[in-house]
Structure formats: structure tokens, C-alpha cells
Amino acid sequence: MAAILILAIIGLPWLGAVCVWLVGDQRPRTQHYLAAGFSIAAGLAALVLLLFVSAETVIRIPAGNFFGDLTFVPDGLGAFLAAVATIVGCLAVIFSIDYMRGEEQLGRYYSFILFFIGAMAGLVLTSSLLFLFVFWEITALTSYALISFYNDDPKAVAGGIKALIITQVGGVGMLAGALAAYANTGSYEIGIFLEKAHTLPAATLSVIAFGFLIAAAAKSAQTPFHTWLPDAMEAPTPVSALIHAATMVNAGVYVLARFYPAFEDVPGWRTAVILVGSISALLAALMALVANDLKRVLAYSTISQLGYMVYAIGVGGVFASQFHLLSHSVFKALLFLAAGAVIHSVGTRDMRQMGGLGKDMPFTRSVFIIGGLALAGLPILNGFWSKELVLEAGLVDGPVWAFGLMVFVAGLTAFYTYRMTSMVFGGSSPAERHIHDAGQAMKASLGLLAIGTLTTWLLAGPFGQMLSTSLPAHQLHAVGTWVVVEEVVTAPATLLALGVIALGLAAWQWRKHLAGLGRLLGGFGQLATDGFGFESLNRGIVNATLKAADTIRPLQTGLLNWNVVGILGGLVVVLAWLAWSTGIGR
Amino acid sequence: MLDWLLVIAAVVCAYQVMRAQRLILATLWLASTSALVATLLYRLGAPEVAVMELSVGAGLVTVLFVFAFSIVGEVTLDPRGIVPRPLVWAMILAIILLMGWFILPLTNSQNPVVKVPFSTMLWDQRGLDVLAQIVLIFSGAIGLLGLLAEREIVVGRKPRPTVALTSGSSQPEVLDGRWQITANETSVEEN
Amino acid sequence: MAAFLQNPLNVFALGVLGLLGMGIYGLLITRNMIKMVAVLQILVKSAVLALVLAGKAGGNINLGQSLAATVIVSDTIVAVIGLALGVQIQRRFGTADLKEIATLKG
């Protein structure tokens, strides 16, 4: 049964991609509804799969001696992430019915989104390292194609290429790790790797561990690879909600969580993970404070919250990080889609030109506020519970300076969330303009996500149960939901965090009184707008590469005879090396 | 003795292919190289593939070449080569020596002779090869058709009929259906 | 040297090497695209001879023949496509000299 469900989860979106493309752009309505249908079917299949979670390999397709077997294991981590991917995916597709109404080339749009959903589900469900890499690369390809969807806009194309290059560089780390694991353990299976990890020589294991950390950091937009995510906001908003908030960027966190038992003893690895997570969280929160583009603020907040998840893994709280991943997927998708509704009707992404939208778009304002409260971490909403779990894990197992930093970032989060909400919905509206509230399909997705934001924390118990029974290597201890609630409510970290969040909210409310402080930090603000030097670092690397390419340009003469000289030269080198190493003698 | 003559003749014919000024002569030298190689193959004890080599190399390829330069004309200027001669000799020497190092000892190996008839070998044991060849021939034929298509293939938007309003008429006049920039046709004398 | 001449198969090995050398000379010297296809054919003949020679030396000559047959077919297709491309190049550029058609420069 689980095998059929897994094939449905991966195969239905891929089938849908082909069908939508074949239907053609002459029939957009058919395309809309076909895409929605396939994604809803995949979402239902994923939900049903949650009932069949187990730790055994349910599908095994041999792929030849060199590639190992293509295996799928529906364990708790994989099934849960597949459910998130497909459900948020189908909500984003439903949202697109209204958002992309009247746009051209819908076939390309929907097929890439469906292709992505299937690949993401495959990524989290597979237990072969090599095919994990294959699915990883497919998600990178579809992400690039969707970021550059408006391919006559040079900013979009540039954003897409930047995302592709940075995530591919990270992918090299993953491939190196996978091949090293294969060379040392003789198999691509993740389960076997986790068991035998302690028998590998320390140097090899370090290489694999840091290779995976680089790949995860690049994919999840952590420092120093975070520069691609803000520029990827040129994509259509449902794409941003799906790929760059709820699913693809979680792939990095997923990899870290999955391989945590193998790498936790590598010296320096946990510290490196904590550093990467906390620095990303801090830098991104600071950059969100000064950004004026609505989607950029949300992108920075995504980087920041991912930093929380990475930090949680670094201190050993795998359950806390995955729980925060669940909450974050839901409320961040909600925020992005609501922002999409706003952008769609106002026509601009600049927050300084918005304001006073609360009167014209009441539904959107309500769901945006719900998402914002969850992001800031206020009680009752799912963001609160998961963030407190993360902070608690940090207080108990991690270094104190990191904990202090994360609490400070929680305050910053509250500050910029309130700033964002009040700039968009509060205040008075400038000169008259025609604003309509979100359409029906948009409201449906937004409403469902808002309900999710209010309720997913109730799943803490069963979720923990699912994880602990199907991930034997991680040795998690599951507790029921109300135990979690009690734990969070009575922990000292909670009070501290709530206090700081209240401070953050108050700081925005009374910002005029703090104007003096604002002027003092003015120079710092300029630094934040420039991305703390990381953008200049990117530009420097690009320029150096171009200059190197220019210097070897004369080698490419374009004349066939010289190319043949090159080929034959290579042949001579290979033959000479072969003759020398095998020493064939008479 | 015969084998030595055949080998030397084959190498000389191959050299002449390169030296020939006119393409038709090059083609004839290529055909004779084919014939000599086919004879060599027969002398090695492989009659079936010798026949294949003869018919394909001396027959089919010759016809192909004649077809090709019947379309485009056959004059070649044969100017100086681009790669400097010493480099050419050095590469040839290096490769022949290295390849010889690998190949020549193999002829001394003593292996038991396996007697499998050719047809069994080709169709039973290497059947997948034959299948691949059939696919290859089909794709080659289709590729050839595509490459030698006469008409130009224009990639672009569907042409719309351009409409020009000539002064005085109330009906727009439809010009020919290509993308064109129509000149502005307002007649000045009719204000 | 005498031992070398004793083995009847060595002539054919020298034939392979000779044709290989001629083929490489042609690859490096030829400037006409259509003649380049003829040079490739010479290299293919050397490969065919080598395959059958290997089959004979290994005892299983019919295996060598089958592989050689496959190579002949595929390289004939290569010649077909190569000639079609050469013809198209001559049509588009007006010449088949590879110095004139070096648009992939730099």
C-alpha cells in the first residue's frame, strides 16, 4: 500500500506536468483545473501515506551496478515533509488559478511547478544517497526555471542564474559526500551509512559532514550562501511561497536532520552548524529591518527562521527543528500568499507605496496578521510553540552566547514583523487607487493556511511519535501534545523570549520616541542595506571568474585542426600514463 | 608476401586521399583503400565482414560523396595546413609508438580457437547490437532528411496581416500576410 | 626481427598502425570539411581491421566480425550525417574551408 502511495505522490504530479504541457496554452482554464486536480490528488495521497509510516524499504528498483538501487522509505521525517510539500503545493496551485489568470505560457509554469512537487517528494522519501542527489538537482533546475519565469525581465533571469549557481556549488558538496560514503561503505543506502558512520576514518567522515553542511547551507540560504534568496523574489509569488519558503529551502534542513546521528560526533561540526544558523538568523533579521520590498522582507525572515532550524539541529534538538519546520512552512506560505494577493492588486512590491490597505482588503489583512503573529512567536499560534521548543533545546544543550543571540533575534523578528504589517495595512492610504480584495481561489488557500497556522501545534504529540518510531538511528523520545504544552509554558526560556518579543513590538510602536537611537544606528542601517558585504563578495567572485575566462579565451581558436591537436594530445597523455602504470612489456 | 603488398598499397592509397586536389579523385582513392582493406580482412579469415566493408566502403560511401559534391561543386584549394608540420610529425610518431606498444604484443597471445558460426554470433549473442544498428539507421535517415531540407525554417511569431488605412476608403486593406513595417500612407494633398 | 616476421598477424597490426597514422595526419592537415569526412572513413577502416585482428588473435574471430560489422554500420551513418552537415555548411558559408567557418572563435 505504501508503495502505491509513494508512486502516486511522485508520479501524479509528474504525470500532471506532462498533461498540462500537452494540453497547450490555447486552453488556460483546462490547464488551471488540471494542475489543481493533480496537485490535490498528490496531497491526498501524501496525507494517506502518513498512516503507513514505517522504517522499512517499500520500493526497491535496481538501477545497475554503478548506481545502486532506487529505494524509497516512508519514515516519519520523509512522509511528513512529503505531506508538507504536496499540501502547500496544492494550495499554491489553487492560489495560482487567480494569481496567474490571463498570464501567458501557463503550460511552462504549471508543468515546472508540478515537476517540482514530485521531485521534492522524491527527495525526502528516497533512501539512496545518489538518487537524493538526483532529486536535489531536479528541484534546483525547476527552481531556476520558475524564478526566471518572466524571462523577458533581466532581473528575473539574473536572479534565477544566481540561485542556480549558488545552489549547484553546494550540490557539489553533497555529491562529494555521497561518493565518499559509497567508496567507504560500499552502498548508497542511507540506513547503512548511518549505521556504519562510526567505522569510517575520521578524516573521511569530516569531509562528508562538512560537504553536506555546505550543500545544506547553500540550499537553505544560510550564511555565507544566503544572497540568492532575496534576488529569487522576482519569481511569481505562488512560486516564492512554495519553493522558497515552504519546501525547497527546507531540503537543506532535512538533510542535516536526516544525517545528524552520523555527524554529531565529528569534532567541530555541531559548533559550525550552530554558528551558521545563528549568524544567518541575526544577519537576515538585521537586513529585514531596513528592507522596503515586501517580498524581500519575507525572504529575509525565511533565512532567519531557517537559521533557527539549523541552530536547533546544531544543539541536538532534531524534533524541535522539524516541528519549527512544520510551523514555518504553514505560516510562511500564508504570509507569502497574502503578500501575493496584496501585490497583485496594488501592482507594486514597494511597501512605501502601500499603506491603509486594511480597509480595502479586510480578509487579507486578517490572515496576514495571523501569519505575522505566528512569525513573531506570540502564544497560541504554531510559531510560538515551535520557537519556544527551539529556544529551550538551545538553553539546555547549547552554548549560552548562541541562546542569547537567538532570543535577541526573536525580538528583532517581532520588530520587523510589526513594521511590515503596519507599513502595508496600517496608516492612511495615499491618493485614490482601485483596490480589490483577494479572489475566490486566493481566499480558499489563504483561509486553509490560516486555519493551519492556528492548529498545527496540536500535532506535536503524534508527530513526535511518528518520528521516534520510524527513525531508529536518531533515538528521539516522543511525548504527547499536552506534555509539550506544559513543558513550553513552564520553561524559563519562554518567559524570557516573550519579554524580548514584547520589547520588540513596543520598540516599533513607540519608534518616534526612539528616533535618537535610530539616528545613532543610521550607519549600521546602511551596512545592512548593502547586505553586510556579501553582495560585494559575490560581485568580486563573478568578476574574478570573468577575468580568468577572458585570459584563456585565445585558446579557443575555433579551428578544427587545433581542436584535433588538443584531442590527440589528451590521447597521448592517457596512453603514456597507461603504458607507464601497467608496464606492458614484451 | 601478398599481405605486405596489400598493407603498403592500402597505406599509400590512404595518403593519396589527403593529397588529391579534386574531390572526385579523393573519393576514388578512398574506394580503392576500401577494396584493399576488404581484401586484407578476407586474408585474416573474416569473409563476411570483408564483403560488408567492400560494399559499404567502396560502394555506398562513394555514392554518398558523389551526391554530396554534386550539390556543392568539387573544387578544393588545398592551401597550407594550419598546424605546423613538426608538431604534426611529432604527434603521429607519438601515437603510433604508444599504440604499437599496446597492440603488437597481443598478436603473440595463444588462445584456443572458438568455433561459433558468424550468423549465430551476430544474431544470438550480439542481437542487441543489431537492434541498435537498426535504430541508428532510422535516425540517420531522418537526420539526413532534416538536414537537407530545402526550405528555410523561420522561427518567430505567427504573421498577422498588416492593415493599412488608405485615405478616402472606409475599408481597411489587408496587405500580404508577412511581418512588415508599413510606410505611413497619408496623402498630404487631401486635407 | 625474424621472430617478428614469423608471426603472420603482425603484418596486419602494422597495417592498423599505418592507417591510423594516415588518418591522424589527415585530421591535422585537412582544411576542407568534406574531405574531413573521408579522413574519418580511413580511421574507421583502421578500427575495423583492428577489431578483426583482435578477434583472430583472441581465437573468436566471429566475435570480432560482429563488432566490426556494428562499427561499419554506425560509422557509415556518421559519414552520412557528416556529409549532410558539410553540404549545409557549404551552402550557408559559401565555402567549406574551415578557416572561413570558424565562428566558434573566442
Side-chain angles (χ1 to χ4, degrees):
Chain A
M1 188 63 201
I4 301 178
L5 285 171
I6 292 182
L7 284 175
I9 296 176
I10 302 178
L12 279 176
W14 283 5
L15 182 64
V18 174
C19 289
V20 169
W21 184 57
L22 285 176
V23 159
D25 288 334
Q26 263 67 37
R27 286 183 281 184
R29 277 183 58 114
T30 320
Q31 284 178 321
H32 283 302
Y33 292 118
L34 209 56
F38 274 104
S39 57
I40 292 177
L44 289 173
L47 280 177
V48 175
L49 184 66
L50 287 174
L51 302 171
F52 289 94
V53 164
S54 71
E56 48 178 275
T57 311
V58 292
I59 299 183
R60 181 179 291 274
I61 305 175
N65 263 343
F66 182 66
F67 296 114
D69 293 336
L70 170 57
T71 50
F72 289 104
V73 176
D75 61 16
L77 194 56
F80 141 70
L81 271 168
V84 166
T86 45
I87 293 179
V88 175
C90 85
L91 289 174
V93 169
I94 293 176
F95 186 87
S96 307
I97 297 181
D98 267 342
Y99 191 85
M100 301 293 282
R101 191 180 298 272
E103 293 274 347
E104 309 238 318
Q105 301 190 11
L106 282 174
R108 187 158 64 98
Y109 176 78
Y110 278 123
S111 6
F112 273 120
I113 285 195
L114 288 170
F115 196 29
F116 168 80
I117 295 178
M120 185 71 202
L123 197 161
V124 299
L125 286 171
T126 184
S127 71
S128 156
L129 275 169
L130 193 67
F131 285 97
L132 179 70
F133 177 71
V134 169
F135 284 118
W136 183 277
E137 295 297 296
I138 296 180
T139 57
L141 166 73
T142 47
S143 160
Y144 157 71
L146 285 166
I147 295 174
S148 327
F149 178 69
Y150 298 119
N151 51 14
D152 43 5
D153 177 5
K155 280 202 317 282
V157 174
I161 294 189
K162 189 174 187 178
L164 189 65
I165 293 182
I166 295 183
T167 50
Q168 294 299 68
V169 166
V172 171
M174 162 153 270
L175 185 61
L179 291 176
Y182 178 65
N184 280 299
T185 58
S187 153
Y188 284 114
E189 288 292 312
I190 294 183
I192 295 184
F193 174 66
L194 288 178
E195 271 169 36
K196 293 206 188 150
H198 303 285
T199 62
L200 292 179
T204 315
L205 194 60
S206 301
V207 164
I208 301 179
F210 283 98
F212 273 37
L213 178 59
I214 291 178
K219 194 75 153 186
S220 294
Q222 300 296 287
T223 314
F225 303 109
H226 61 273
T227 43
W228 66 269
L229 194 56
D231 288 340
M233 292 297 121
E234 302 292 331
T237 309
V239 168
S240 301
L242 175 60
I243 298 188
H244 304 126
T247 45
M248 190 182 87
V249 293
N250 292 338
V253 179
Y254 161 77
V255 161
L256 288 176
R258 165 85 64 194
F259 289 96
Y260 178 73
F263 299 144
E264 61 182 321
D265 295 323
V266 174
W269 189 75
R270 288 180 64 173
T271 319
V273 173
I274 294 177
L275 265 174
V276 164
S278 44
I279 293 183
S280 309
L282 178 67
L283 285 181
L286 288 171
M287 290 195 271
L289 288 178
V290 295
N292 284 318
D293 177 342
L294 177 58
K295 283 176 77 174
R296 263 186 117 89
V297 174
L298 289 174
Y300 286 128
S301 87
T302 304
I303 299 176
S304 191
Q305 296 302 305
L306 286 168
Y308 269 94
M309 293 177 223
V310 172
Y311 163 77
I313 292 186
V315 300
V318 175
F319 171 67
S321 98
Q322 297 310 300
F323 192 45
H324 195 53
L325 200 156
L326 173 65
S327 314
H328 175 259
S329 302
V330 176
F331 69 67
K332 192 46 68 67
L334 173 65
L335 281 170
F336 262 108
L337 290 181
V342 167
I343 294 171
H344 194 239
S345 59
V346 178
T348 173
R349 295 197 329 235
D350 192 341
M351 289 197 290
R352 293 168 293 196
Q353 292 172 12
M354 303 180 192
L357 286 172
K359 290 187 292 295
D360 299 311
M361 308 179 74
F363 181 78
T364 314
R365 180 194 57 185
S366 319
V367 296
F368 197 90
I369 289 180
I370 292 179
L373 290 176
L375 175 58
L378 272 109
I380 297 301
L381 297 153
N382 61 2
F384 165 68
W385 302 105
S386 54
K387 194 177 282 194
E388 297 308 325
L389 274 178
V390 169
L391 288 174
E392 229 184 273
L395 183 61
V396 168
D397 285 329
V400 179
W401 57 266
F403 174 73
L405 197 61
M406 297 313 256
V407 174
F408 176 58
V409 173
L412 286 178
T413 309
F415 184 80
Y416 70 68
T417 310
Y418 195 4
R419 168 179 181 258
M420 176 173 64
T421 316
S422 73
M423 273 178 88
V424 173
F425 291 107
S428 56
S429 58
E432 56 176 73
R433 56 189 175 191
H434 174 57
I435 303 290
H436 56 273
D437 204 349
Q440 288 293 62
M442 288 191 192
K443 278 199 183 140
S445 323
L446 289 172
L448 283 170
L449 282 171
I451 295 177
T453 313
L454 290 166
T455 55
T456 52
W457 58 276
L458 292 167
L459 295 171
F463 179 52
Q465 190 73 24
M466 196 169 68
L467 281 184
S468 68
T469 50
S470 57
L471 291 176
H474 285 73
Q475 292 163 355
L476 298 165
H477 303 289
V479 293
T481 309
W482 298 111
V483 179
V484 170
V485 169
E486 206 188 307
E487 229 180 276
V488 170
V489 166
T490 56
T494 310
L495 234 45
L496 186 58
L498 280 176
V500 175
I501 290 175
L503 255 173
L505 292 173
W508 176 258
Q509 182 72 15
W510 293 311
R511 62 188 178 283
K512 295 201 182 43
H513 301 278
L514 295 173
L517 191 63
R519 269 194 299 277
L520 207 63
L521 297 172
F524 195 65
Q526 187 56 38
L527 200 61
T529 321
D530 291 335
F532 290 104
F534 281 101
E535 296 288 339
S536 338
L537 186 66
N538 280 5
R539 270 195 297 273
I541 293 179
V542 169
N543 286 339
T545 315
L546 287 175
K547 195 163 290 181
D550 262 343
T551 31
I552 37 180
R553 187 174 287 210
L555 276 182
Q556 180 78 4
T557 54
L559 296 170
L560 185 59
N561 293 133
W562 280 113
N563 294 350
V564 171
V565 169
I567 296 173
L568 292 176
L571 181 64
V572 166
V573 166
V574 168
L575 286 177
W577 180 79
L578 266 179
W580 171 73
S581 71
T582 58
I584 295 182
R586 308 240 177 161
Chain B
M1 198 56 212
L2 179 63
D3 296 333
W4 280 102
L5 281 176
L6 286 172
V7 164
I8 294 176
V11 173
V12 166
C13 286
Y15 180 67
Q16 289 293 90
V17 170
M18 260 91 64
R19 299 295 298 160
Q21 288 275 28
R22 300 174 59 199
L23 280 175
I24 181 95
L25 288 182
T27 315
L28 290 177
W29 284 117
L30 188 64
S32 40
T33 316
S34 264
L36 290 164
V37 166
T39 321
L40 277 171
L41 286 172
Y42 172 70
R43 298 275 301 166
L44 256 180
E48 291 93 356
V49 80
V51 160
M52 271 190 75
E53 171 63 41
L54 190 63
S55 45
V56 166
L60 180 59
V61 170
T62 310
V63 168
L64 279 176
F65 270 95
V66 171
F67 168 69
F69 58 72
S70 77
I71 298 183
V72 295
E74 55 165 301
V75 187
T76 64
L77 255 45
D78 201 13
R80 295 284 310 159
I82 298 172
V83 180
R85 289 299 163 126
L87 185 57
V88 173
W89 301 133
M91 293 220 98
I92 296 180
L93 208 59
I95 293 187
I96 292 188
L97 283 178
L98 283 168
M99 282 296 206
W101 180 262
F102 280 106
I103 294 181
L104 288 172
L106 293 178
T107 54
N108 288 330
S109 56
Q110 305 291 341
N111 282 344
V113 177
V114 175
K115 285 202 192 322
V116 179
F118 177 63
S119 46
T120 320
M121 173 64 76
L122 185 66
W123 292 98
D124 287 345
Q125 297 197 16
R126 311 293 313 180
L128 208 53
D129 282 353
V130 179
L131 206 57
Q133 289 172 53
I134 296 175
V135 171
L136 206 57
I137 294 176
F138 269 121
S139 42
I142 295 177
L144 184 66
L145 283 175
L147 279 172
L148 290 183
E150 286 288 340
R151 66 183 192 287
E152 294 217 358
I153 303 174
V154 174
V155 177
R157 288 178 272 195
K158 264 204 315 256
R160 291 202 305 253
T162 52
V163 176
L165 281 171
T166 53
S167 50
S169 67
S170 52
Q171 295 270 40
E173 190 183 299
V174 178
L175 297 178
D176 64 296
R178 296 233 219 106
W179 264 141
Q180 269 186 356
I181 302 175
T182 54
N184 210 346
E185 293 186 78
T186 54
S187 56
V188 192
E189 54 265 18
E190 269 188 71
N191 330 5
Chain C
M1 193 63 188
F4 182 74
L5 289 174
Q6 285 281 5
N7 191 342
L9 290 184
N10 276 328
V11 190
F12 298 99
L14 285 178
V16 169
L17 292 174
L19 282 173
L20 184 66
M22 284 300 116
I24 294 176
Y25 174 73
L27 275 182
L28 292 169
I29 288 296
T30 312
R31 278 177 71 162
N32 186 327
M33 295 312 286
I34 299 194
K35 201 180 268 191
M36 194 64 97
V37 179
V39 169
L40 287 175
Q41 284 295 298
I42 297 179
L43 282 171
V44 165
K45 288 181 211 327
S46 118
V48 163
L49 203 50
L51 275 169
V52 174
L53 174 68
K56 176 85 176 191
N60 194 347
I61 190 157
N62 284 328
L63 179 58
Q65 280 199 71
S66 313
L67 295 173
T70 311
V71 168
I72 290 178
V73 168
S74 18
D75 289 312
T76 308
I77 304 288
V78 167
V80 162
I81 303 286
L83 280 176
L85 282 173
V87 161
Q88 286 295 62
I89 288 175
Q90 178 110 9
R91 269 195 203 151
R92 294 270 176 275
F93 288 90
T95 166
D97 185 16
L98 58 87
K99 200 153 191 184
E100 312 295 328
I101 65 177
T103 56
L104 217 50
K105 184 184 175 63

